[in-house]
Amino acid sequence: MARVLSRDPVDIENILALNPRKQIHATLHSTAAKKQVKKQWKRNSDKSCSNCEKLENNFDDIKHTTLSERGALREAMRCLKCADAPCQKSCPTNLDIKSFITSITNKNYYGAAKLILSDNPLGLTCGMVCPTSDLCVGGCNLYATEEGPINIGGLQQFATEVFKAMNIPQIRNPSLPPLEDMPEAYHVKIALLGAGPASLSCASFLARLGYSNITIFEKQEYAGGLSTSEIPQFRLPYDVVNFEAELMKDLGVKIIFSKGLAMHGMTLRTLKEDGYEAVFIGIGLPEPNRDIIFQGLRMDQGFYTSKDFLPLVAMASKPGMCACHSPLPSIHGTVIVLGAGDTAFDCATSALRCGARRVFVVFRKGFTNIRAVPEEMELAKEEKCEFLPFLSPRKVVLRGGQIVAMEFVRTEQDNEGNWKEDEDQVVRLKADVVISAFGSVLSDNKVREAMTPIKFNRWGLPEVDLETMQTSEPWVFAGGDIGGLANTTVESVNDGKQASWYMHRYIQSLHGIAVSTVPELPLFYTPIDLVDISVEMAGLKFPNPFGLASATPTTSSSMIRRAFEAGWGFAVTKTFSLDKDIVTNVSPRIVRGITSGPMYGPGQGSFLNIELISEKTAAYWCKSIAELKADFPNHILIASIMCSYSREDWTELSKMAEVAGADALELNLSCPHGMGERGMGLACGQDPELVRNICRWVRQAVQIPFFAKLTPNVTDIVNIAMAAQEGGADGVTATNTVSGLMGLKADSTPWPAVGGGLRTTYGGVSGNAIRPIALRAVSAIARALPGFPILATGGIDSAESGLQFLHSGASVLQVCSAIQNQDFTVIDDYCTGLRALLYLKSIEELEDWNGQSPATMRHQKGKPVPRIADLIGKKLPSFGPYLEQRKKIIAENKLKLKEQSIAAALPEKKHFFPKKPIPAIKQLNSLPVPVAGLNSSPSLFSTLLLRRVGQHSSNQKKHSRSLRLQRCNLGQNLPSRM
């Protein structure tokens, strides 16, 4: 039987049977059947704990906030990029959150990390452990939406982790003199006590300021303080803490381990005698707050404080933390954790990983009074920890010298809000282990004596000025837990940051040097920031290749001034004309596109405008040009001009702009709406002969470079570019907006619609939606006219997209829609992003990266997925009964690994450095994009076809050119579509 060609083979038909089908009947399945079927497809955990996942020795990442690149990009795009961002105001270190999220959106992960680490040297640690729901996320304006607030911590973690993988060192502020040329005041001896977050932060900023003799004394054998010893590996790996300490050491800071306050005779007095001019105390609160009922109890009896338990867990689970290899605390049976702070929940989840069968978190007050952040509590809840509120410990019950139970009394709150204990309500809980997490104190008298002569407050802590972080001794500063105000890692980091500036002021005052009263802490720098991205084109030197297009961002000269202050390399004025051609704009005239769907706020994929040229006079623009060039001589300012097809008009206007001081001209021969009806703009730019003549007129009139701005609304833009070159243009701008109609409402009303008659016109579409068109135009011109300067525009919204245009043959880049989406500050992201892309091209170890994107790992919820095939020799899906099998296999493997030694030390740090020359921008556009197909090598058929229609086409062009010339000459009398 002959095969039916309109049917696929049977095996393909069987696969296609899974495709959706049009439903013609309501479906019918019994509830009993559905209860069974759903179990085959579940991906989340079952509510029942009869088969709870075993967590013993499993220290894999458990944070909800962890993101993959895909997740980070989607999350970053939701951000509103608020102008007066409340998230930044809620961050103790005042991170510029909306800017680093912008960088992530633009896939500039180095730029994001640079912004983060500039204000927070422990940015990766804080991205992982910050209680964001109580800080930045708590202030997010999207809290009021259905989607909820932005996952700021996850985005911060993602960006800094990518930078960590780049393995690039921190360098001193490039504006500082060499170390040997620094003033004497910068060589003084500075001591920091304790290597916790406050000290690491303080030392980092002091080193960035230029100080070269900074020493941290740490009594333990590892850096990081509580971040290392008390925050579990599954929340904060040790290599993260080590990474941040190494960044600090890149600046010359020294850490001396096994030496601290009250050890080996070290006191504040001995430090003074040894020549230290300033000291920062960041030793934390080293002793546990131990309730009287626990006096005399030992670990071998089953009692731990958090200060005992968490360091033991850390040393056994954190590779590289110390040279020792100690086993996890042996915990079995039921564990009671006392306390309601973050540390208590860390103890509870860690106890499960040490072998506990059940964990109860017991606290004196109710759920509404829990001090821990919701993230911590939720993780403990997911891991089946039980919570028991309103209980106050009364007695530990021992049998045979071992803990077997605890007795509690019930607590209640009276009408005045006071908490009272009801001795009549007694609760007895069986337990094998008790962990007390009631906070920390400074109770070691030797340490207190070593801090003489500073004064202490009523809580037994040093008296500290909360603004300057100075103690009663002007040369001694303190911060972090011992300062009495910081409750979190990020607040400790900020204490160190705050202290660094006032330590700087104090040291400089000792040497008679005045320091600004306004803090001026240096930013974070790496070799990437030294990459040269300046451009020379048509005899002009551009500081960077990014400039403002002649559009809404250059509506006024004050806007151009703000752009130059922000760092833009050049600007093209809004197109202006002679007074006889002045226009009046309509409103509304700029609307968001619909190409991105129902998405509002920044990140619009397109805009449509029916805006005309500038309403301001030529005299205004000429005076503005003179003012701007006087104040910004190193920035390139290009005057955009437009006239009808008149030699006298073009000559007059171009000379006016040249006399005013413009560096170059841009001839607007491409405005797609409104101006064409006047015989200007696109009406001239669609005909090669008219373009050639206009360029010749301007070439004869001025000496400065000029560029013809081309319209994409033509059959072949290359012909127009060739005509401009033949006319003497120094280059072209490609391209202007694409003529289009954005959409109609259901009642057929167009949008935008103007006036009572709701009239419209075909407007100009801009933004990312036209990038493929603009890229095609730039690459085609570059191939046809090698070396001819091209100012690219059309959908450039990041360094990555800008690099695409540079690879396609562009010389410099013009931006408009991206600024409409946000603000002028995006230039910083573009410059750091481009520098990073160029620098990373020269690092051989990162050759498998795509720009700033590392190779994508197998992951779920941003976390690596274990390769089950490596453990059992076959693959298993991640749903239903297979998921349970996977969990069981992983748990068994973790137990096998428990007896194996973890690495005693982290691999030696070796930074990646360029092994190839860092490419210059001019090298990027020297090789236009290779194009296959008819455009590069016409087939025989296409050649014959072109010959057949050639004569007809020639006649059509002559007729069309005649019509355009008539329209340009009579354009002033033609009506607008408006």
Side-chain angles (χ1 to χ4, degrees):
M1 182 177 177
R3 178 189 164 195
V4 180
L5 295 179
S6 58
R7 289 185 182 276
D8 285 307
V10 175
D11 55 343
I12 295 179
E13 286 284 353
N14 290 337
I15 295 173
L16 294 177
L18 297 172
N19 281 358
R21 293 287 188 271
K22 180 181 178 182
Q23 184 172 326
I24 57 176
H25 301 290
T27 56
L28 190 66
H29 297 281
S30 70
T31 302
K34 296 302 289 185
K35 281 181 177 289
Q36 291 301 315
V37 168
K38 76 170 185 177
K39 293 180 180 180
Q40 305 301 315
W41 302 99
K42 276 182 72 68
R43 289 183 179 269
N44 59 342
S45 299
D46 196 76
K47 292 180 180 179
S48 170
C49 200
S50 58
N51 57 345
C52 282
E53 181 181 1
K54 300 297 185 290
L55 296 171
E56 188 170 357
N57 200 42
N58 187 339
F59 290 89
D60 295 341
D61 182 4
I62 64 169
K63 297 184 295 296
H64 292 160
T65 54
T66 302
L67 294 168
S68 65
E69 182 175 24
R70 170 188 171 277
L73 291 171
R74 290 173 66 89
E75 187 69 4
M77 287 194 65
R78 293 202 304 120
C79 178
L80 297 178
K81 319 296 192 301
C82 305
D84 191 26
C87 55
Q88 182 172 1
K89 293 179 170 61
S90 304
C91 173
T93 57
N94 209 52
L95 286 187
D96 189 352
I97 294 169
K98 67 108 173 177
S99 293
F100 87 64
I101 293 181
T102 295
S103 292
I104 293 174
T105 306
N106 294 337
K107 299 181 78 171
N108 176 17
Y109 308 135
Y110 169 73
K114 177 180 170 67
L115 285 164
I116 293 164
L117 295 169
S118 287
D119 269 306
N120 184 343
L122 276 66
L124 180 49
T125 288
C126 291
M128 290 184 168
V129 303
C130 255
T132 54
S133 62
D134 192 43
L135 299 172
C136 52
V137 171
C140 180
N141 283 324
L142 286 175
Y143 235 117
T145 66
E146 296 90 338
E147 304 94 324
I150 298 297
N151 177 5
I152 297 172
L155 291 173
Q156 181 173 327
Q157 174 187 338
F158 170 77
T160 43
E161 279 193 316
V162 173
F163 171 70
K164 176 173 174 281
M166 292 179 185
N167 204 10
I168 296 171
Q170 180 175 193
I171 62 172
R172 297 170 71 245
N173 185 346
S175 65
L176 290 176
L179 278 175
E180 58 273 15
D181 296 335
M182 291 292 289
E184 180 186 351
Y186 289 88
H187 298 286
V188 302
K189 295 173 71 175
I190 301 173
L192 297 96
L193 305 177
S199 292
L200 295 179
S201 172
C202 185
S204 294
F205 282 109
L206 286 170
R208 291 179 191 176
L209 284 163
Y211 292 95
S212 58
N213 199 352
I214 305 169
T215 305
I216 298 177
F217 297 97
E218 170 55 54
K219 70 176 183 179
Q220 303 293 348
E221 296 179 359
Y222 49 82
L226 301 190
S227 296
T228 297
S229 64
E230 295 194 21
I231 300 181
Q233 172 80 0
F234 51 82
R235 288 185 58 219
L236 181 61
Y238 179 67
D239 73 309
V240 168
V241 177
N242 185 66
F243 157 71
E244 292 164 337
E246 290 295 323
L247 282 179
M248 176 195 70
K249 289 159 71 174
D250 288 338
L251 301 179
V253 177
K254 302 178 287 293
I255 304 180
I256 298 177
F257 295 110
S258 302
K259 189 172 183 180
L261 204 59
M263 293 176 64
H264 310 294
M266 178 184 286
T267 67
L268 291 181
R269 285 197 173 101
T270 60
L271 289 170
K272 188 78 167 177
E273 291 167 1
D274 290 340
Y276 289 94
E277 293 196 8
V279 172
F280 177 82
I281 303 174
I283 61 173
L285 298 176
E287 290 86 36
N289 184 12
R290 190 167 178 140
D291 196 287
I292 192 170
I293 68 171
F294 303 124
Q295 296 301 324
L297 292 177
R298 305 182 308 274
M299 287 187 284
D300 61 335
Q301 294 176 299
F303 174 77
Y304 297 82
T305 68
S306 61
K307 293 285 186 183
D308 302 323
F309 179 66
L310 291 175
L312 289 174
V313 175
M315 284 188 285
S317 62
K318 292 192 172 186
M321 176 177 163
C322 61
C324 63
H325 173 59
S326 57
L328 285 170
S330 181
I331 292 181
H332 299 284
T334 301
V335 176
I336 291 177
V337 177
L338 303 172
D342 295 335
T343 302
F345 287 99
D346 280 340
C347 289
T349 49
S350 295
L352 290 171
R353 287 157 177 80
C354 293
R357 184 174 59 85
R358 297 188 72 185
V359 176
F360 293 93
V361 181
V362 182
F363 40 96
R364 290 187 173 101
K365 300 180 182 179
F367 284 98
T368 57
N369 305 104
I370 286 179
R371 290 183 291 109
V373 293
E375 299 96 316
E376 286 264 12
M377 185 176 172
E378 192 61 32
L379 287 172
K381 179 182 175 183
E382 286 183 8
E383 296 189 345
K384 311 303 181 185
C385 293
E386 304 289 350
F387 304 149
L388 295 175
F390 306 113
L391 294 177
S392 179
R394 265 294 172 267
K395 180 183 176 182
V396 178
V397 181
L398 299 175
R399 184 180 301 152
Q402 296 294 312
I403 293 176
V404 294
M406 273 201 72
E407 288 186 359
F408 300 84
V409 293
R410 185 83 171 164
T411 61
E412 295 178 348
Q413 193 173 22
D414 62 23
N415 293 335
E416 284 73 38
N418 301 313
W419 287 91
K420 296 182 178 181
E421 297 178 349
D422 186 352
E423 302 290 347
D424 294 331
Q425 298 187 69
V426 179
V427 176
R428 183 183 175 114
L429 297 176
K430 291 182 179 180
D432 299 286
V433 175
V434 174
I435 302 173
S436 168
F438 286 148
S440 308
V441 294
L442 176 63
S443 59
D444 190 331
N445 288 328
K446 290 183 180 179
V447 174
R448 292 169 60 88
E449 290 171 5
M451 287 193 275
T452 305
I454 65 173
K455 297 178 181 178
F456 290 83
N457 57 28
R458 57 178 174 153
W459 296 285
L461 301 176
E463 285 187 359
V464 176
D465 184 306
L466 299 182
E467 179 63 27
T468 65
M469 311 310 293
Q470 267 178 313
T471 66
S472 56
E473 292 295 309
W475 65 287
V476 180
F477 298 74
D481 286 347
I482 201 168
L485 193 62
N487 296 321
T488 60
T489 301
V490 69
E491 289 172 339
S492 295
V493 170
N494 196 56
D495 278 1
K497 178 182 180 182
Q498 188 84 357
S500 69
W501 177 253
Y502 289 98
M503 290 174 75
H504 169 59
R505 289 189 62 184
Y506 170 76
I507 293 169
Q508 295 301 309
S509 69
L510 294 179
H511 294 261
I513 301 171
V515 176
S516 169
T517 56
V518 178
E520 297 175 354
L521 290 173
L523 303 177
F524 176 83
Y525 293 98
T526 74
I528 288 176
D529 299 300
L530 304 180
V531 174
D532 181 16
I533 57 170
S534 62
V535 180
E536 289 192 25
M537 181 194 73
L540 303 174
K541 179 70 178 288
F542 295 75
N544 62 67
F546 298 102
L548 305 184
S550 175
T552 47
T554 60
T555 297
S556 67
S557 55
S558 60
M559 295 173 72
I560 297 176
R561 176 177 293 276
R562 291 196 295 274
F564 282 167
E565 289 170 349
W568 291 86
F570 70 98
V572 187
T573 68
K574 182 77 171 168
T575 301
F576 60 94
S577 64
L578 295 171
D579 289 354
K580 67 186 183 69
D581 295 321
I582 207 78
V583 301
T584 300
N585 276 299
V586 298
S587 185
R589 57 180 180 271
I590 303 174
V591 298
R592 62 176 287 273
I594 59 173
T595 54
S596 300
M599 187 182 79
Y600 299 89
Q604 295 300 318
S606 64
F607 293 92
L608 179 132
N609 81 86
I610 55 174
E611 185 169 77
L612 305 178
I613 62 175
S614 177
E615 297 176 312
K616 296 177 171 59
T617 64
Y620 166 89
W621 281 111
C622 288
K623 183 179 179 182
S624 295
I625 289 169
E627 291 177 359
L628 290 168
K629 285 305 298 179
D631 293 343
F632 301 95
N634 296 324
H635 290 69
I636 301 300
L637 187 56
I638 301 173
S640 176
I641 59 176
M642 180 189 286
C643 300
S644 59
Y645 189 68
S646 163
R647 179 170 186 162
E648 292 75 18
D649 288 358
W650 281 105
T651 300
E652 179 184 356
L653 191 56
S654 60
K655 285 185 174 181
M656 286 176 62
E658 181 182 40
V659 170
D663 294 297
L665 306 178
E666 183 177 85
L667 315 185
N668 189 336
L669 306 175
S670 51
C671 189
H673 50 268
M675 305 312 297
E677 291 84 348
R678 298 164 177 257
M680 304 166 76
L682 162 141
C684 297
Q686 288 182 323
D687 191 311
E689 183 176 334
L690 303 188
V691 170
R692 187 181 299 110
N693 288 339
I694 291 171
C695 289
R696 283 174 178 164
W697 299 338
V698 174
R699 181 74 290 158
Q700 293 168 7
V702 300
Q703 300 299 314
I704 58 175
F706 72 87
F707 313 98
K709 188 168 187 178
L710 309 184
T711 175
N713 305 297
V714 292
T715 304
D716 188 353
I717 197 170
V718 173
N719 289 338
I720 309 298
M722 287 179 171
Q725 185 187 48
E726 292 164 3
D730 295 274
V732 293
T733 298
T735 65
N736 209 322
T737 54
V738 177
S739 182
L741 179 65
M742 189 52 73
L744 304 173
K745 296 182 180 180
D747 61 358
S748 79
T749 303
W751 182 247
V754 178
L758 299 179
R759 305 177 67 188
T760 194
T761 185
Y762 299 129
V765 180
S766 64
N768 295 354
I770 71 164
R771 186 188 300 155
I773 299 170
L775 276 171
R776 191 265 185 206
V778 169
S779 62
I781 295 170
R783 286 178 58 80
L785 304 173
F788 192 48
I790 303 172
L791 293 81
T793 182
I796 299 168
D797 68 341
S798 65
E800 186 182 58
S801 58
L803 185 63
Q804 295 176 35
F805 279 92
L806 293 173
H807 279 312
S808 298
S811 306
V812 293
L813 312 165
Q814 296 184 17
V815 181
C816 169
S817 295
I819 300 170
Q820 291 181 168
N821 262 323
Q822 194 161 336
D823 54 54
F824 286 132
T825 62
V826 293
I827 182 59
D828 187 57
D829 170 70
Y830 296 176
C831 289
T832 58
L834 184 57
R835 288 189 178 100
L837 289 167
L838 296 177
Y839 187 87
L840 296 181
K841 280 176 176 286
S842 65
I843 298 179
E844 292 181 354
E845 292 87 347
L846 303 180
E847 285 183 343
D848 61 337
W849 286 37
N850 179 14
Q852 294 194 49
S853 299
T856 303
M857 62 179 180
R858 287 171 54 88
H859 67 87
Q860 289 188 9
K861 295 185 176 180
K863 305 172 185 67
V865 177
R867 293 185 174 273
I868 298 298
D870 295 339
L871 300 177
I872 63 172
K874 65 176 182 179
K875 297 181 180 180
L876 286 176
S878 296
F879 56 84
Y882 306 107
L883 179 59
E884 297 305 318
Q885 290 181 46
R886 289 177 65 94
K887 290 179 179 179
K888 185 177 180 181
I889 293 166
I890 292 169
E892 291 172 350
N893 184 59
K894 293 293 183 182
L895 285 175
K896 290 179 183 178
L897 296 174
K898 186 175 181 179
E899 302 305 321
Q900 299 179 13
S901 297
I902 59 175
L906 294 174
E908 183 182 352
K909 184 72 172 179
K910 291 184 179 179
H911 292 300
F912 296 159
F913 290 102
K915 295 183 176 64
K916 298 180 289 187
I918 299 171
I921 290 179
K922 64 180 179 182
Q923 296 173 289
L924 302 178
N925 51 36
S926 59
L927 297 172
V929 178
V931 180
L934 296 179
N935 290 335
S936 58
S937 179
S939 65
L940 177 62
F941 172 78
S942 62
T943 302
L944 293 174
L945 181 63
L946 290 171
R947 287 176 181 172
R948 289 280 304 271
V949 301
Q951 185 61 45
H952 175 71
S953 175
S954 176
N955 293 336
Q956 288 277 32
K957 287 181 180 177
K958 290 178 182 178
H959 178 65
S960 176
R961 185 180 300 120
S962 175
L963 289 177
R964 286 198 190 97
L965 190 58
Q966 293 177 40
R967 192 176 192 187
C968 288
N969 290 333
L970 302 175
Q972 301 294 331
N973 301 319
L974 292 176
S976 166
R977 284 190 295 267
M978 295 292 294

